Amino acid sequence: KQEVTQIPAALSVPEGENLVLNCSFTDSAIYNLQWFRQDPGKGLTSLLLIQSSQREQTSGRLNASLDKSSGRSTLYIAASQPGDSATYLCAREGYKLSFGAGTTVTVRA
Amino acid sequence: KAGVTQTPRYLIKTRGQQVTLSCSPISGHRSVSWYQQTPGQGLQFLFEYFSETQRNKGNFPGRFSGRQFSNSRSEMNVSTLELGDSALYLCASSPWTSATSYNEQFFGPGTRLTVL
């Protein structure tokens, strides 16, 4: 049973366009949520952590929201750049991190 | 502050052999978790160690084991390697303090294991 789902699986946009990445959970329990970036063959880089008591977190061009009632989180990346091309993963925090399959983003120059 | 380091970065083994992977967490972090990443299964939790004790374990066979030392460094061992064990093995560390309500995890670069 997939606990965390990310849609779409892949996304290709022209440079400068805003990115919207979605993450949903199968239950509405209160969890913290963490967004990561992974470059091909590399480890995970933590982008943002949203505590269950928060509704959003911002860091530079990145903004992540959390809606516990609908079991959804959204990562917004403003004014995308080719360097933003990577796989983005969301993970629900528990005794372990439960990961989605990720969204692979390609930003075309 | 140095990040999470993992050694070796790449390994090639043959079926039936065993392998040991090492992880050094961020200084001051007491929790170390291990994950396996494969194209088919994605990221799956192996186990977590805290203060030298395995605190949580994922759904992997007993061939997968680990330990943590007093300096928080951790090792994981896979015995009797199978072709399906080929994967990127990621280690994550966390400060895990009761002073906060969250447990942000920081990942190392991973060890790429290829089993032939």
Side-chain angles (χ1 to χ4, degrees):
Chain A
K1 181 181 176 183
Q2 186 70 25
E3 297 180 6
V4 181
T5 303
Q6 291 187 250
I7 294 173
L11 190 59
S12 178
V13 299
E15 183 177 5
E17 191 165 303
N18 296 332
L19 287 164
V20 180
L21 309 179
N22 298 301
C23 175
S24 60
F25 334 110
T26 54
D27 64 59
S28 59
I30 299 174
Y31 293 104
N32 301 329
L33 189 111
Q34 200 167 350
W35 281 93
F36 295 90
R37 167 187 172 137
Q38 185 174 34
D39 293 290
K42 308 286 187 178
L44 307 182
T45 300
S46 178
L47 297 174
L48 291 166
L49 181 145
I50 311 175
Q51 297 180 55
S52 60
S53 58
Q54 298 174 322
R55 299 196 68 172
E56 66 177 340
Q57 275 284 0
T58 298
S59 176
R61 295 185 294 113
L62 276 59
N63 173 278
S65 65
L66 177 63
D67 183 344
K68 296 195 300 281
S69 62
S70 63
R72 292 184 181 184
S73 178
T74 302
L75 178 66
Y76 301 90
I77 303 177
S80 62
Q81 304 168 358
D84 294 329
S85 297
T87 296
Y88 292 84
L89 296 139
C90 68
R92 191 191 70 188
E93 179 191 313
Y95 72 87
K96 62 175 182 177
L97 288 177
S98 296
F99 285 90
T103 295
T104 299
V105 171
T106 302
V107 180
R108 308 186 302 273
Chain B
K1 186 182 273 191
V4 178
T5 58
Q6 292 186 245
T7 57
R9 294 293 312 280
Y10 303 92
L11 266 178
I12 300 175
K13 293 286 186 179
T14 57
R15 279 181 300 174
Q17 287 187 309
Q18 73 165 17
V19 67
T20 299
L21 312 181
S22 180
C23 171
S24 292
I26 292 171
S27 177
H29 286 194
R30 299 165 64 191
S31 169
V32 174
S33 298
W34 289 88
Y35 292 83
Q36 181 197 63
Q37 186 176 31
T38 59
Q41 299 296 319
L43 276 151
Q44 293 186 288
F45 172 75
L46 283 155
F47 28 65
E48 184 225 358
Y49 286 86
F50 180 81
S51 293
E52 302 179 65
T53 300
Q54 186 181 90
R55 191 159 64 170
N56 294 291
K57 188 177 189 303
N59 189 26
F60 278 81
R63 299 185 297 108
F64 291 82
S65 63
R67 58 178 175 169
Q68 187 180 34
F69 301 95
S70 58
N71 61 359
S72 292
R73 190 177 70 85
S74 177
E75 289 181 347
M76 69 163 281
N77 183 276
V78 188
S79 63
T80 318
L81 283 166
E82 300 177 359
L83 295 178
D85 296 333
S86 294
L88 181 65
Y89 289 89
L90 293 163
C91 163
S93 79
S94 167
W96 195 270
T97 167
S98 58
T100 65
S101 61
Y102 58 88
N103 179 31
E104 188 168 8
Q105 300 210 25
F106 299 86
F107 282 77
T111 294
R112 172 72 63 184
L113 172 65
T114 301
V115 182
L116 303 176

